[in-house]
Amino acid sequence: MKMLAYLGRRKWMRLSTPTWRFVRGVSGVAETVAKERVDAVVIGAGVVGLAVARELSLRGREVLILDAASSFGTVTSSRNSEVVHAGIYYPPNSLKAKFCVRGRELLYRYCSEYEIPHNKIGKLIVATGSSEIPKLDLLMHLGTLNGVSGLRMLEGFDAMRMEPQLRCVRALLSPESGVLDTHSFMLSLVGEAENNHATFSYNTVVLNGRVEEKKMHLFVAETGLCEAEAQLELIPNLVVNSAGLGAQALAKRFQGLDHRFVPSSHYARGCYFTLSGTKSPPFSKLVYPIPEEGGLGVHVTLDLNGLVKFGPDVEWIECTDDQSSFLNKFDYRVKTNRAEKFYPEIRMYYPDLKDGSLEPGYSGIRPKLSGPKQPPTDFVIQGEETHGVPGLVNLFGIESPGLTSSLAIAEHIANKFLR
């Protein structure tokens, strides 16, 4: 729903012409711009924003969801592996570990209750040489500490008996891993939120905001006017910044929020290639190599239609300014010659991969908080206790396992920040 239509539906003032000229960095705003008090605003209709909106609405809050795109889940949420992660890779007691394990439980329960297509097919993380075995042992240890059930270390011959096309010397079996139809999941979250009186306003961009009288004030316009004029000033009790790739850039536009609390942004593109020329999938389970810097390695994903995908790789994107990330000005093209890097990596565990069998699929961008040669970072969920701004919750660096963690993140935000 467009913002102005939303105004009309709520019997609020329709704006015939914009009344306030947006100038970045200027604190004064003309008094003639329409102002409206709202209960809770969620910025960003990706899977995490949708989960948060649903949870808040279930708890009786009146929720308005704003997204600059024309629909929900058009960015990172629709450009991933669609994998339900078990919770193996993350440091114990980290938010990623806690939310992934809790989120997986909630996600499988939700998918069963609401008939969302999913399949708990399991995953093999494989060591293709003896030098990788200690890393596999560490993953087993981390997963056990994180409370992941059913993990089992397999000798290579046992894993290859399970998956005849596989080559490895040892493998870690994770029976709790799986896949789901992300679009159906997000569509269900939208329906659940709307059933609980949440309202979606697409094609609506949050230009900036400021803290005034201990409340966040948001200035919004229809998409396409983000360098021109605000059309409405919203005064919410709660703001959840779930803008994904643009979360930090947006936070820097909030006057009154100390930029010391906005972490640096790093972006890593990941490309996927699909497997062609095969009558049936070579594997029945997900197959992952040992993780690499910036990602989990070029792995095998089977979607619910039997399509085999390989990816994502890691390509660091340099020199992305705040304006580009704010407007999602990323290049999502998948170049055919990038397959040259995929073949040798995949053949480490799938030696029968044929030349010419990989076709360009799609790509996604990871919203990371650490860059090349830096250790991985945890999710960042900031409230007033961190940055001092009442009613503002910032979500930064919600990369993998963000999809799996989405319902747990929503539960956490509702439990901690609702008053």
Side-chain angles (χ1 to χ4, degrees):
M1 178 182 295
K2 286 192 175 184
M3 181 184 65
L4 296 187
Y6 171 71
L7 297 180
R9 169 179 160 178
R10 295 297 301 272
K11 298 181 181 179
W12 289 350
M13 175 181 176
R14 277 188 181 273
L15 302 179
S16 57
T17 58
T19 55
W20 173 64
R21 184 70 180 174
F22 169 62
V23 181
R24 192 178 308 154
V26 176
S27 59
V29 177
E31 292 298 325
T32 50
V33 67
K35 297 182 181 182
E36 293 298 339
R37 294 188 180 276
V38 292
D39 185 15
V41 171
V42 176
I43 305 170
V47 67
V48 173
L50 296 177
V52 171
R54 168 187 175 268
E55 186 67 28
L56 296 180
S57 67
L58 284 172
R59 300 196 188 198
R61 304 302 290 265
E62 186 175 345
V63 185
L64 171 62
I65 303 94
L66 308 176
D67 198 285
S70 59
S71 186
F72 61 86
T74 62
V75 190
T76 306
S77 298
S78 60
R79 295 175 172 274
N80 58 68
S81 298
E82 295 190 295
V83 168
V84 181
H85 289 288
I88 295 170
Y89 300 97
Y90 320 108
N93 297 315
S94 65
L95 294 182
K96 286 184 176 180
K98 292 177 181 178
F99 291 157
C100 186
V101 173
R102 172 63 175 163
R104 168 173 48 80
E105 296 170 356
L106 294 173
L107 184 54
Y108 279 136
R109 187 187 309 166
Y110 187 100
C111 288
S112 296
E113 181 177 352
Y114 292 96
E115 300 182 345
I116 307 301
H118 68 288
N119 193 356
K120 193 187 292 187
I121 59 176
K123 174 167 73 174
L124 291 169
I125 306 173
V126 299
T128 57
S130 58
S131 64
E132 294 182 334
I133 292 177
K135 297 177 182 177
L136 202 61
D137 290 335
L138 176 60
L139 292 178
M140 174 76 171
H141 179 65
L142 287 175
T144 302
L145 290 177
N146 291 339
V148 180
S149 62
L151 294 177
R152 187 155 55 99
M153 193 68 75
L154 304 177
E155 293 297 332
F157 57 83
D158 288 324
M160 291 185 287
R161 186 182 300 122
M162 191 177 291
E163 296 285 358
Q165 294 289 326
L166 180 65
R167 187 187 77 81
C168 66
V169 297
R170 194 169 292 180
L172 176 60
L173 174 63
S174 169
E176 290 296 315
S177 302
V179 293
L180 83 160
D181 182 337
T182 305
H183 182 80
S184 294
F185 174 49
M186 291 192 290
L187 186 62
S188 178
L189 292 175
V190 171
E192 280 283 290
E194 289 183 330
N195 287 342
N196 288 279
H197 312 296
T199 302
F200 287 79
S201 184
Y202 300 118
N203 298 302
T204 304
V205 63
V206 178
L207 299 171
N208 65 0
R210 73 175 183 218
V211 182
E212 183 178 324
E213 297 178 348
K214 295 185 177 181
K215 280 187 178 293
M216 277 296 305
H217 291 231
L218 302 176
F219 301 98
V220 301
E222 290 188 26
T223 299
L225 299 178
C226 57
E227 283 305 314
E229 297 155 336
Q231 297 168 287
L232 180 66
E233 179 180 346
L234 295 175
I235 309 173
N237 297 316
L238 176 67
V239 177
V240 180
N241 173 11
S242 183
L245 295 171
Q248 284 99 307
L250 177 60
K252 291 178 182 178
R253 293 174 174 233
F254 292 160
Q255 297 177 29
L257 174 65
D258 193 324
H259 287 189
R260 291 184 299 119
F261 299 110
V262 181
S264 59
S265 302
H266 301 272
Y267 304 98
R269 181 189 292 109
C271 293
Y272 293 84
F273 282 80
T274 59
L275 182 65
S276 65
T278 57
K279 294 181 180 179
S280 60
F283 303 105
S284 61
K285 299 183 183 304
L286 306 170
V287 178
Y288 278 57
I290 297 297
E292 62 178 337
E293 179 190 76
L296 300 181
V298 174
H299 51 260
V300 181
T301 302
L302 308 172
D303 72 11
L304 294 167
N305 297 316
L307 180 68
V308 180
K309 299 177 288 186
F310 294 97
D313 59 352
V314 177
E315 179 187 4
W316 294 99
I317 302 173
E318 304 296 339
C319 303
T320 300
D321 56 50
D322 286 341
Q323 180 74 353
S324 296
S325 60
F326 182 72
L327 299 174
N328 189 31
K329 297 292 187 181
F330 292 99
D331 184 357
Y332 289 101
R333 293 174 296 177
V334 179
K335 298 178 181 178
T336 304
N337 62 5
R338 196 156 186 83
E340 297 171 4
K341 177 177 177 289
F342 275 61
Y343 282 103
E345 292 189 23
I346 297 168
R347 284 173 176 150
M348 294 292 290
Y349 57 83
Y350 177 31
D352 291 339
L353 178 67
K354 296 179 181 178
D355 287 336
S357 59
L358 296 181
E359 296 183 351
Y362 59 95
S363 74
I365 310 292
R366 304 172 180 89
K368 303 186 76 67
L369 301 182
S370 57
K373 309 300 182 183
Q374 296 177 350
T377 56
D378 201 4
F379 293 153
V380 172
I381 299 180
Q382 294 178 345
E384 180 182 358
E385 78 288 350
T386 300
H387 52 57
V389 178
L392 173 63
V393 181
N394 284 319
L395 308 184
F396 298 133
I398 311 298
E399 53 168 339
S400 180
L403 169 61
T404 306
S405 302
S406 57
L407 294 174
I409 292 173
E411 180 183 68
H412 170 78
I413 289 174
N415 288 340
K416 185 172 182 179
F417 299 110
L418 284 187
R419 297 178 178 177

